[in-house]
Amino acid sequence: MPRLKPSAPREPVKLKVKKGDLVEVISGKDKGKRGEVMKAMPRENKVIVQGANMMVRHTKDRPNRNAGANTANNVIKGGRIEKEAPLFAAKVMVVCPACKRPTRVGYDYKEGDEKLSHRKFRKCKHPDCGKSIDG
Ligand SMILES: [Zn+2]
């Protein structure tokens, strides 16, 4: 099988987590940490979770190309930058807004005449809950 180049476009996967969801990290160094999904990246099958998987980058002082003749601003100060790195979507679980537990996500359909795709909603898979995650 030919290896895909890293830049090769991939089919976006259907993520069960969406931007704005509260999720809990279920593996890795931030296991147990909860945060809001800041960005869903279906193409990479990854999500960025607020406060989770923090990466520290050290940057050096570098010339500021946009400073022009203003010598006071001609260097961008380096330093420590903390930033959330993307996590694999499989490493997080949606926290059910009704029972506050991390849950697998199921799908169900509302009654109605709308298109099936519009009636679809996500629900908590705990048998004693089963509430909608999408409110
Ligand atoms: Zn629930």
Side-chain angles (χ1 to χ4, degrees):
M1 208 170 112
R3 282 169 63 98
L4 287 174
K5 274 187 262 174
S7 58
R10 272 180 282 170
E11 279 296 307
V13 289
K14 191 87 190 97
L15 290 181
K16 288 183 175 179
V17 282
K18 293 199 293 198
K19 188 178 170 184
D21 281 347
L22 180 67
V23 295
E24 183 166 317
V25 180
I26 53 165
S27 75
K29 68 182 168 82
D30 286 320
K31 189 174 171 178
K33 196 174 257 184
R34 290 183 179 193
E36 192 180 301
V37 174
M38 296 163 69
K39 196 179 176 190
M41 303 156 76
R43 216 167 267 282
E44 286 85 12
N45 197 14
K46 285 178 176 176
V47 293
I48 295 179
V49 179
Q50 193 165 37
N53 206 23
M54 298 302 287
M55 296 246 302
V56 181
R57 277 189 58 194
H58 294 275
T59 58
K60 289 179 180 164
D61 292 355
R62 58 195 161 93
N64 183 357
R65 291 179 214 282
N66 301 320
N70 187 349
T71 50
N73 289 323
N74 66 2
V75 166
I76 298 171
K77 271 293 198 196
R80 262 171 114 250
I81 299 173
E82 278 196 73
K83 200 170 177 260
E84 289 91 350
L87 278 164
F88 275 110
K91 286 192 169 187
V92 303
M93 271 179 124
V94 175
V95 175
C96 169
C99 66
K100 314 284 181 211
R101 289 173 293 178
T103 180
R104 288 187 300 127
V105 174
Y107 290 98
D108 212 339
Y109 298 91
K110 291 179 280 197
E111 302 283 325
D113 312 320
E114 295 166 70
K115 271 205 312 208
L116 210 58
S117 59
H118 293 167
R119 286 193 270 135
K120 196 172 177 181
F121 66 91
R122 297 176 302 161
K123 67 169 191 177
C124 176
K125 274 213 165 180
H126 289 294
D128 56 335
C129 176
K131 297 263 168 50
S132 169
I133 289 163
D134 291 319

